[in-house]
Amino acid sequence: MKTGHLLDVLSGHEDPVHGLMFSPVNAILASSSWDKTIRLWDVFEGKGAVESFSIDMMFLRWFTVQMENN
């Protein structure tokens, strides 16, 4: 049900998040940040970050373009 109320806050990135992608198949939210990390979040189980990856800037640019095209 849509209530307009904040349900949860996902914390973990050290810099602003610039991209999000959701997979309805496995209920994972991927977030990319200017802190050069991508975090995977299990949004329905409330487990917070289930995985974190440090990445270089070339991959971060590629990932951002992929997210913009979807």
Side-chain angles (χ1 to χ4, degrees), residues 48-61:
V50 293
E51 198 71 52
S52 179
F53 303 94
S54 293
I55 55 176
D56 64 24
M57 288 307 291
M58 291 298 291
F59 181 78
L60 185 57
R61 287 187 196 109

Side-chain angles (χ1 to χ4, degrees), residues 21-30 39-44 48 50:
M21 184 179 284
F22 179 68
S23 170
V25 174
N26 54 12
I28 297 292
L29 178 70
R39 292 183 179 264
L40 303 179
W41 309 86
D42 186 336
V43 295
F44 293 130
V50 293

